[in-house]
Amino acid sequence: MRFRSSALATVVAFAFAHSLAAQSIADRYRGDANRIIDAALKDSTAWNRLAEMTEKFGNRLSGTPALEQTIDWVIARMKEDGLQNVRGEPAMVPVWVRGEESAEMVSPRLQNLPMLGLGGSIATPPGGITAAILVASSFSDLTAKAAQASGKIVLFDVPFTNYGETVQYRARGAVAAAKVGAVGALVRSVTPYSQRTPHTGGMSYDSTVRRIPAAAITVEDAEMIHRLVDRGETVRVKLTMSAKTMPDAPSRNVMGELVGSAKPDEIVVFGGHIDSWDVGRGAMDDGGGVVVAWEAVRLLKRLGLRPRRTIRVVGWTNEENGGRGGQAYRDAHKAEVDKHVLAIESDGGVFKPQGFTFTGSDAAFDILKQIALLLDRIDADAMVKGGGGADIGPITALGVPGLGLNVDGTRYFWYHHTAADTIDKLDPNDMARCVATMAVMAYIAADMADPLPRSPTGAP
Ligand SMILES: [Zn+2]
């Protein structure tokens, strides 16, 4: 009898273990995912909270009191929400101050040119620079016209193809123009659509090349100047900028946690960047990224869904003009990078979610793909390889699997880095879907029996 009963127990135990192993992610988590989605879709707290945050403090460039006040506010609210280990972790950030600035076409006629200096640019001399425009349609076009560039302001009139490609003119245009002897650089704003709104953004210098001031003008004015020049007119522009770079200042990565029930030292980290450019109110770039992750954690708490591992929501600082927050996070958490099972970033706007972009091993991709399938009800189940985010880059480079929240990007670059990045462009229902998408992914990744397979170290 003893033998038979123990044999039976073995058979039962084996069958049970086998059924657990065979139980798919869909079977195990479909119910939880549906509860999360149902609750998220009934709730417009994310939109309301983002409206409050961005309208109370305004935009949040690194080094400004508004950024630090926003971080204090997030800390206070996360504590009220009952998040655990709420804190700000220090990071030193660059401080760039725009100052007064303007651009004006002075011939063949007078016309004001709406403009924004590029982040990191130097000032012009106090009286401004007045010079003829040389139009370049690409870097190679500039090379072909190099002999004509001396003493001119180069205007890069390059139509938007995709952000990664077109942003090169904003980022590197000043260096290319200075190399051929130009005294200033103007770029056509990096956007597929314009209502004569200039778009700012970061630029960089090269220590071996003379520094010249750089600014963005609107698509409409770039095209007009280009046509005037093509008709044989000499276009002269007066550019005046007083921008300056100050010593680095202290800021913080802001974070709070839902501590795991079984493996609290293993972490799913997710969020967005809390800083913004100094125009608009940084609603979609990227206050929304921070708020949807924060709301995801609040929702899981409310539903009593406490995963086995810890979920940590982070608002990284200084993504826009330095990336120091992402680096400081990696450095502060060096000892526990191996305990990070997944990093998720939202920095493409909080429009209707479509799924995620992925960086990591094929084995992790296959598992995350199964989780994403639980988002099919809200059409957010697409998982595509390539991409992640700037703030999680430093830890995905060390082998942590990374995801970027992927949304309908149709309108994002219309408003990106402009005075028009305000809450009214965002839809509460889209944001609620982003909360659901972030919450389902973070919860299941944090709760699964086995951690996700890591990437080969040094993977991009
Ligand atoms: Zn951003």
Side-chain angles (χ1 to χ4, degrees), residues 273 285-286 319-320 347 412:
H273 64 86
D285 188 13
D286 181 30
E319 189 275 341
E320 294 292 6
D347 189 18
Y412 182 63

Side-chain angles (χ1 to χ4, degrees), residues 90-132:
M92 291 301 285
V93 295
V95 181
W96 179 79
V97 181
R98 175 178 305 282
E100 292 294 312
E101 58 181 15
S102 64
E104 193 178 25
M105 183 169 78
V106 293
S107 69
R109 61 183 173 80
L110 274 180
Q111 186 193 288
N112 179 52
L113 303 171
M115 58 79 81
L116 284 170
L118 299 182
S121 177
I122 60 166
T124 62
I129 295 168
T130 303

Side-chain angles (χ1 to χ4, degrees), residues 273 275-277 284-286 319-320 345-349 391 412 416-417:
H273 64 86
D275 67 307
S276 76
W277 279 105
M284 66 188 76
D285 188 13
D286 181 30
E319 189 275 341
E320 294 292 6
E345 179 164 341
S346 167
D347 189 18
D391 290 310
Y412 182 63
H416 184 248
H417 299 177

